[in-house]
Amino acid sequence: MNIEQRTISSMLNSATVELEETNPGSPRLDAELLLSHVMECPRFELFLRGNQSLNGDQMVAYLELLRQRSLGCPVSYLTGEKEFWSLTLEVSKDTLIPRPDTETLVESIVEQILKWQENNKGETCCIAELGTGTAAIPLALCTELTNLHITSVDSSGQILAIAARNIHSYKNLLAPRNNRLDLVQSDLFSAIDSHSKFDFIVSNPPYIPSDKIADLQTEVSQFEPRIALDGGKDGLFFYRYLLGAAPGMLKRDGKMILEIGFDQQPALTKLQNRFPAWESSNFFFDLHENVRVWILSKETN
């Protein structure tokens, strides 16, 4: 890159060309997101300030971010944030980056809770979430719904600290909407009171088979935390756990709503047959026509 070209406009053009060679998916967007982070301004302002020059510190910072991006580091880790469901969430290399696919899960959960609320007017809907990460899912639910009590668990104190900061940033979604969101450090659901009963259990669990992680694109396999990806030898470890543990945690008419891998429906259907506590289940597609969401209903007898 010609470092003499120091205006915002010229830097964006040069950065886009550079990133096209290593990250052809979205080089212009990446260049804009990284520069808006360095300039501490919204992306649209880059176009309004196109003739403005970068100072030396800004140049150094931007070139370093471009270098890291060219090596495969995700933009969200470089900027420390990710947009999800109209929310701007803090992320770090300890957390999985929230994905658009998971918005399909949120849509399904919202739909199911709205149906529940029609039959339970004025009551608080109690939800348990396994593996909250950035708290993307519970915060998205709180943007759409009221009268929720969500208990979200994660095994890492570092991750829960990030979730707590995200929750604090959107505290207007909690008490003013009669929503409550509790964070609990827990190995799976082990720290949850065994007498607690929930209306819903939700999760986007790790579901990549252990030996397939290395085959994923570089920015996932080399940079995102393995613990948030690894679903065990066959990718089904967490589904086995949830199928066995969730019935005892759910109320009589409770439901479990999970994100799944696009090719896991046959294996999960077979797996469910080993857990008779579930009365029925249905699979739903995302916007790319991949099976993405699994909704299970507890046996009511």
Side-chain angles (χ1 to χ4, degrees), residues 26-27 36 41 91-92 109 112 133 161 165 174 183 187 202 262 268 282 289:
S26 54
S36 67
C41 71
V91 301
S92 81
I109 298 170
Q112 292 297 316
R165 289 195 291 272
L174 300 179
L183 297 176
D187 180 14
V202 303
F262 72 94
L268 290 173
N282 294 284
E289 297 301 313

Side-chain angles (χ1 to χ4, degrees), residues 96-285:
L96 190 72
I97 298 171
R99 287 160 165 73
D101 289 341
T102 301
E103 294 195 349
T104 302
L105 175 64
V106 172
E107 290 170 355
S108 297
I109 298 170
V110 169
E111 181 181 354
Q112 292 297 316
I113 292 176
L114 286 173
K115 291 179 180 178
W116 181 92
Q117 289 179 333
E118 288 179 3
N119 297 319
N120 299 273
K121 293 189 182 299
E123 295 187 25
T124 298
C125 184
C126 295
I127 305 158
E129 181 201 19
L130 178 67
T132 194
T134 60
I137 292 172
L139 282 172
L141 296 179
C142 288
T143 68
E144 302 296 327
L145 300 162
T146 60
N147 298 326
L148 305 180
H149 181 188
I150 306 174
T151 302
S152 293
V153 310
D154 210 294
S155 61
S156 165
Q158 290 177 304
I159 291 175
L160 288 174
I162 292 171
R165 289 195 291 272
N166 283 327
I167 292 167
H168 181 75
S169 295
Y170 290 101
K171 58 186 176 181
N172 61 303
L173 298 176
L174 300 179
R177 298 172 60 81
N178 199 31
N179 291 327
R180 176 179 168 184
L181 178 45
D182 297 327
L183 297 176
V184 178
Q185 186 168 358
S186 176
D187 180 14
L188 302 174
F189 280 132
S190 62
I192 300 299
D193 184 350
S194 61
H195 298 293
S196 297
K197 294 293 182 179
F198 298 93
D199 300 295
F200 294 92
I201 289 175
V202 303
S203 182
N204 175 20
Y207 53 70
I208 308 298
S210 302
D211 62 359
K212 299 294 184 183
I213 293 175
D215 299 332
L216 300 174
Q217 62 195 99
T218 299
E219 63 181 47
V220 177
S221 63
Q222 298 299 314
F223 291 92
E224 297 206 59
R226 186 181 182 96
I227 193 173
L229 301 169
D230 194 338
K233 184 176 181 180
D234 59 1
L236 304 181
F237 172 85
F238 291 93
Y239 300 109
R240 286 192 189 87
Y241 168 75
L242 287 166
L243 287 169
M249 299 174 60
L250 286 168
K251 296 179 183 178
R252 182 176 177 182
D253 58 349
K255 292 185 177 182
M256 182 162 66
I257 309 174
L258 308 174
E259 181 170 326
I260 68 171
F262 72 94
D263 59 351
Q264 291 181 315
Q265 179 179 359
L268 290 173
T269 299
K270 183 177 180 180
L271 182 61
Q272 184 197 340
N273 292 333
R274 293 165 46 190
F275 295 87
W278 299 102
E279 182 178 69
S280 63
S281 73
N282 294 284
F283 295 91
F284 297 89
F285 294 87

